[in-house]
């Protein structure tokens, strides 16, 4: 039984040690346990010890068995395992892991560092793989708060039809509720970890280009697992989302500073995606202005998605109408056209009118203020529905139901 003050423990160990005038050297194979309990290893690990400054190459007789010790010069205390499973917050990584106790750059207290190689990881929605990491390598740090780290490698994505994400992704892990900022030396190279507070196990990419239903946008994306009732669902969280509707070679509507989440669900083997980002909308047209909170919404399926997802201990309600669509929408929005204010529920989609590209603006439960000021009109008129078509340099309106 071997343990250190970081919570690393080796049990059921077998092996051989040599005690000489120069120090202690040997190897012991056993089962690894670490704290916190949300981190678990499954597989055999070997403890290598050499407190001397010289290599060791000796054969010992243990019972009736000859055991050969071949160790490089020390001093060191290392724990390593090949082809073992690491479970963090219910997510399983498989690979080769090696532990070492070090004092980080500029620190006074030692931490346990885990070097990871040949790592594989799968992120599933239901039983379907959505994202896979292969040939991963990187580091983890175990401190009193938990475990955190980053793994880079080859990432492949299996997404719903008409959806793509292009960019460089890495696996980020932090199972504590505190941020982790640490610089450590690995093989003579300084490696810096800057991880926001968790807990999470997710694939992250910055400056990623996404395409959904033919509409392209950019942003920073993270893929992780949440629960829909008891089934795993892949959440695509995003921030810094940038999007635009173009018609006639000109961007008529821009969506910036977007932040939110999409959810990839699996039904009868089919993957679908739905969700929304909230951000800032701008209209590149003269004499027309939009005021209010809007969202960039997606749904790749022909059915509405009304669900509550469990994100950690926080429930997230999603109510997205039937699709498929990519649209910008909001309720109780004000649209100022030539000084006249239209208010109501509004949605923007890319469309074609008589063969000309346009942005289609659909309005419901409309109120129009005439005269006076936008906040205090002289006359209020109500309509059931209306449609505006935004073109390069102008617009066309069709409002019904006075």
């Amino acid at each position: 039984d071997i343990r250190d003050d970081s919570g690393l423990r080796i049990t059921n160990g077998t092996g051989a040690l040599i005690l000489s005038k120069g120090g202690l050297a040997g190897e012991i194979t056993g089962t690894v346990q670490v704290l916190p309990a949300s981190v678990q290893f499954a597989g055999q690990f070997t403890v290598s010890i050499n407190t001397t400054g010289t290599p060791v190459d000796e054969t010992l007789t243990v019972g009736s068995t000859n055991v050969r010790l071949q160790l490089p010069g020390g001093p060191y205390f290392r724990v390593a395992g090949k082809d073992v499973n690491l479970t963090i917050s219910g997510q399983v990584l498989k690979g080769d892991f090696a532990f070492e106790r070090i004092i980080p750059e500029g620190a006074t207290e030692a931490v346990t560092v885990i070097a990871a190689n040949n790592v594989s990881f799968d992120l599933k929605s239901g039983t379907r793989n959505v994202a896979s990491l292969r040939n991963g390598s990187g580091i983890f740090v175990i401190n009193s708060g938990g475990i955190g780290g980053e793994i880079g490698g080859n990432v492949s994505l299996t997404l719903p039809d008409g959806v793509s994400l292009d960019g460089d992704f890495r696996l980020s892990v932090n199972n504590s509720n505190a941020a982790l900022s640490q610089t450590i030396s690995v093989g003579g190279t300084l490696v810096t970890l800057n991880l926001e507070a968790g807990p999470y196990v997710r694939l992250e990419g910055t400056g990623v280009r996404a395409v959904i239903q033919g509409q392209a946008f950019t942003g920073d994306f993270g893929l992780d697992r949440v629960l829909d009732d008891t089934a795993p669902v892949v959440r695509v969280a995003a921030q810094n989302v940038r999007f635009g509707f173009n018609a006639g070679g000109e961007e008529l509507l821009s969506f910036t500073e977007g932040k939110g989440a999409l959810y990839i669900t699996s039904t009868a083997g089919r993957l679908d995606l739905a969700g929304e980002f909230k951000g800032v909308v701008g209209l590149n047209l003269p004499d027309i202005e939009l005021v209010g909170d809007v969202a960039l919404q997606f749904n790749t399926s022909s059915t509405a998605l009304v669900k509550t997802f469990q994100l950690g201990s926080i429930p997230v309600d999603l109510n997205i109408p039937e699709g498929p669509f990519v649209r910008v929408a909001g309720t109780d929005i004000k649209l100022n056209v030539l000084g006249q204010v239209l208010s109501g529920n509004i949605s923007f989609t890319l469309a074609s009118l008589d063969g000309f590209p346009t942005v289609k603006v659909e309005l419901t439960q409309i109120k129009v203020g005439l005269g006076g000021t936008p906040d205090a009109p002289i006359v209020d008129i109500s309509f059931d529905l209306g449609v505006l078509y935004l073109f390069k340099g102008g617009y066309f309106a069709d409002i019904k139901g006075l």
Side-chain angles (χ1 to χ4, degrees):
D1 190 317
I2 304 173
R3 68 183 75 193
D4 69 10
D5 57 5
S6 71
L8 175 64
R9 181 181 180 185
I10 307 293
T11 60
N12 301 319
T14 60
L17 298 171
I18 297 175
L19 183 61
S20 65
K21 186 168 72 171
L24 179 69
E27 285 186 338
I28 297 173
T29 298
T31 302
V32 162
Q33 295 177 350
V34 296
L35 293 177
S38 57
V39 180
Q40 297 179 345
F41 283 93
Q44 290 294 303
F45 284 79
T46 299
V47 181
S48 300
I49 306 169
N50 191 350
T51 65
T52 74
T54 58
V56 173
D57 188 354
E58 293 193 29
T59 300
L60 305 177
T61 300
V62 180
S64 59
T65 304
N66 290 331
V67 178
R68 185 179 181 183
L69 287 179
Q70 288 183 296
L71 299 170
Y76 55 80
F77 181 100
R78 297 173 184 155
V79 181
K82 293 182 67 66
D83 199 27
V84 299
N85 288 345
L86 166 59
T87 301
I88 305 174
S89 300
Q91 301 290 309
V92 179
L93 290 71
K94 188 172 185 177
D96 305 334
F97 301 95
F99 296 75
E100 191 162 357
R101 191 78 168 151
I102 67 167
I103 298 177
E105 185 82 9
T108 57
E109 294 184 2
V111 297
T112 298
V113 175
I114 305 175
N117 286 290
N118 302 316
V119 175
S120 61
F121 170 75
D122 293 315
L123 197 59
K124 296 179 181 288
S125 179
T127 59
R128 288 284 304 275
N129 259 7
V130 172
S132 297
L133 171 75
R134 296 293 183 267
N135 301 318
S137 62
I139 62 167
F140 295 103
V141 173
I142 298 178
N143 57 27
S144 57
I147 184 171
E150 290 185 335
I151 303 291
N154 300 325
V155 174
S156 59
L157 301 174
T158 303
L159 300 172
D161 293 341
V163 179
S164 65
L165 295 173
D166 295 317
D168 294 327
F169 287 84
R170 65 189 180 279
L171 180 65
S172 296
V173 175
N174 187 355
N175 80 330
S176 77
N177 57 9
L180 174 64
S181 181
Q182 195 103 67
T183 298
I184 59 177
S185 178
V186 180
T189 301
L190 290 180
V191 178
T192 299
L193 291 176
N194 282 308
L195 301 171
E196 65 181 31
Y200 56 79
V201 177
R202 66 190 181 204
L203 288 165
E204 295 181 335
T206 57
V208 173
R209 183 179 186 272
V211 178
I212 300 178
Q213 298 291 317
Q215 302 299 309
F217 56 99
T218 59
D220 304 332
F221 294 87
L223 287 78
D224 60 5
R225 190 186 72 163
V226 296
L227 292 179
D228 164 21
D229 296 327
T230 58
V233 173
V234 173
R235 178 183 69 131
V236 185
Q239 58 185 355
N240 302 320
V241 174
R242 172 71 171 83
F243 170 80
F245 275 137
N246 292 272
E250 185 173 331
E251 186 177 83
L252 300 184
L253 179 146
S254 65
F255 180 89
T256 58
E257 301 177 31
K259 184 177 182 179
L262 309 174
Y263 295 84
I264 299 176
T265 58
S266 176
T267 304
R270 170 188 165 91
L271 292 176
D272 282 305
L273 176 148
E276 65 180 18
F277 305 137
K278 293 185 177 179
V280 178
V281 168
L283 294 175
N284 185 24
L285 287 168
D287 303 317
I288 184 168
E289 180 185 9
L290 183 143
V291 179
D293 296 328
V294 297
L296 175 59
Q297 296 181 329
F298 306 87
N299 192 350
T300 64
S301 77
S302 58
T303 58
L305 184 65
V306 182
K307 286 184 179 293
T308 298
F309 298 96
Q310 199 70 20
L311 180 57
S313 60
I314 302 172
V316 178
D317 296 320
L318 196 65
N319 189 346
I320 304 297
E322 64 185 35
F325 61 75
V326 176
R327 72 179 190 181
V328 175
T331 58
D332 196 23
I333 304 298
K334 292 182 178 180
L335 197 63
N336 192 330
V337 182
L338 292 172
Q340 303 302 313
V341 177
L342 289 75
S343 62
N345 303 330
I346 190 169
S347 68
F348 298 83
T349 55
L350 198 60
S352 176
L353 183 65
D354 295 331
F356 291 97
T358 177
V359 175
K360 183 180 179 182
V361 186
E362 296 182 87
L363 304 100
T364 59
Q365 302 178 18
I366 314 160
K367 291 184 178 180
V368 181
L370 300 177
T373 66
D375 293 327
I378 296 173
V379 179
D380 275 325
I381 304 174
S382 297
F383 297 87
D384 293 333
L385 57 92
V387 177
L388 275 75
Y389 293 93
L390 308 182
F391 298 92
K392 181 180 179 180
Y395 50 86
F396 165 77
D398 180 15
I399 298 178
K400 300 176 182 180
L402 179 62

